[in-house]
Amino acid sequence: MRMLINVPETVVADALRGLAAAHPELNVDVEKRVIVRRDAPVPGQVALVSGGGSGHEPLHGGFVGPGMLAAACPGEIFTSPVPDQMARAAAAVDGGAGVLFIVKNYTGDVLNFDMAAELAEDEGIQVAKVLVNDDVAVTDSLYTAGRRGTGATLFVEKIAGAAAAEGQPLERVEAVGRRVNDNSRSFGVALSACTTPAKGSPTFDLPDGELELGIGIHGEPGRERRPMMTSGEIADFAVDVILEDLPPRAPVLVLVNGMGATPLLELYGFNAEVQRVLRERGVAVARTLVGNYVTSLDMAGASVTLCQVDEELLRLWDAPVKTPALRWGM
């Protein structure tokens, strides 16, 4: 195993210490595993709280800051944070307007966020929830009942975060987040499996010359294995699967997301093919984001996420944001 770590047992804590050192605008509690924007709570503003297993960086801690999340709760590698973390985060960021939990559809995350909502409500905090379930590759999996939450999490956190920053009430911010999720679909491809620090070996076997279509973000294999395809062939396949499930009715936001080990040279080339397919299918592109944002440790591969947007959602996407991993307009 070749990893830039000390020991597997301290990987998450070490990363949180490094995040704190690099970003003094965040309050990072390494022991209690909560990341909070330093100016929280913001009076009268809905606070967004998200979280999940570590290994998907910059999701979620890298999206904490003005215009996006108020707090994030990192769990162990590919393991849900515990309810106490989320309840503690909600208490730290509640400015009197309520807290919106943004939850990827994985069984552990859903159960723990539900328990956290009960704990927070017992303390008088108003809580709403948006469940992200954008992955079209599988209906059910080892980790979920229903579709998995993947790349659309970024769209939900950014657009709902902008609505919160405008001072919109909790029910409106929740509705915006749900609308983003309902209009988003994703599909991922792996060129290699990832390696968790604890296991020290790939999470599944992928022979040379083959790829996995329809992977998730927890190291699980895809729904289909094929001989290696070109970038253009992968783009044709991924975009067509998405559009079969989300017939284009409006311009789309495009996220071409790396799974952790794919260099930008390849991601930009893949984006060129994704844009080609969208043009050929008559789909208008409003905005495009390319990079490693919702990752799976050191997995090589990429995912495509499309979100249909109207004028309001596009305005909220363009609104200022200032986080470690996403920033513009400030």
Side-chain angles (χ1 to χ4, degrees):
M1 182 172 66
R2 296 181 181 179
M3 291 184 174
L4 196 63
I5 65 172
N6 292 314
V7 293
E9 293 77 13
T10 66
V11 165
V12 176
D14 291 345
L16 290 175
R17 290 190 296 104
L19 179 70
H23 295 283
E25 71 274 18
L26 303 178
N27 283 326
V28 181
D29 190 324
V30 177
E31 179 181 354
K32 296 177 179 177
R33 305 290 172 87
V34 176
I35 303 164
V36 178
R37 51 185 283 188
R38 188 168 291 277
D39 61 349
V42 180
Q45 187 177 113
V46 172
L48 273 61
V49 175
S50 193
S54 296
H56 307 305
E57 289 75 20
L59 190 82
H60 295 271
F63 298 142
V64 175
M68 213 160 174
L69 298 179
C73 305
E76 292 297 326
I77 300 294
F78 296 166
T79 303
S80 171
V82 298
D84 284 350
Q85 283 177 266
M86 307 160 194
R88 187 177 295 113
V93 300
D94 178 38
V99 172
L100 179 67
F101 284 161
I102 298 175
V103 188
K104 300 189 301 302
N105 188 32
Y106 294 94
T107 302
D109 290 36
V110 172
L111 292 175
N112 287 348
F113 268 101
D114 283 347
M115 286 188 281
E118 293 178 5
L119 293 173
E121 288 166 348
D122 288 343
E123 298 300 319
I125 300 172
Q126 187 180 5
V127 178
K129 182 180 77 173
V130 173
L131 184 69
V132 183
N133 57 352
D134 56 302
D135 181 24
V136 300
V138 295
T139 301
D140 296 295
S141 73
L142 296 175
Y143 298 90
T144 65
R147 291 179 167 177
R148 301 174 293 203
T150 56
T153 311
L154 183 153
F155 289 154
V156 173
E157 292 179 355
K158 170 60 184 78
I159 293 174
E166 289 185 347
Q168 296 190 30
L170 180 59
E171 61 272 16
R172 179 61 185 158
V173 177
E174 176 190 10
V176 166
R178 290 181 184 273
R179 185 148 58 97
V180 172
N181 177 69
D182 290 345
N183 284 282
S184 297
R185 300 290 189 276
S186 296
F187 190 87
V189 179
L191 309 181
S192 72
C194 67
T195 298
T196 62
K199 187 172 186 285
S201 59
T203 53
F204 60 88
D205 294 325
L206 186 58
D208 290 343
E210 297 186 350
L211 54 74
E212 287 278 344
L213 296 168
I215 50 91
I217 60 173
H218 292 90
E220 65 268 46
R223 71 180 192 183
E224 181 181 353
R225 182 170 293 182
R226 288 192 180 186
M228 187 62 196
M229 301 159 67
T230 67
S231 177
E233 291 168 339
I234 294 170
D236 280 311
F237 188 97
V239 173
D240 283 343
V241 170
I242 291 172
L243 294 181
E244 286 173 7
D245 199 87
L246 187 74
R249 301 183 303 273
V252 296
L253 300 177
V254 179
L255 171 63
V256 171
N257 172 68
M259 302 308 298
T262 305
L264 277 172
L265 179 73
E266 295 177 32
L267 290 178
Y268 277 119
F270 183 51
N271 178 56
E273 296 298 335
V274 169
Q275 301 289 329
R276 171 190 59 78
V277 180
L278 291 171
R279 285 194 305 271
E280 291 174 355
R281 306 301 186 266
V283 180
V285 174
R287 302 286 187 274
T288 301
L289 185 65
V290 179
N292 288 285
Y293 293 102
V294 183
T295 63
S296 184
L297 291 170
D298 62 342
M299 180 180 283
S303 63
V304 178
T305 303
L306 304 181
C307 175
Q308 296 187 137
V309 291
D310 54 20
E311 289 184 4
E312 180 190 21
L313 295 185
L314 186 57
R315 176 181 61 79
L316 292 170
W317 174 258
D318 287 339
V321 61
K322 188 177 181 181
T323 71
L326 204 68
R327 58 178 62 203
W328 56 69
M330 286 188 176

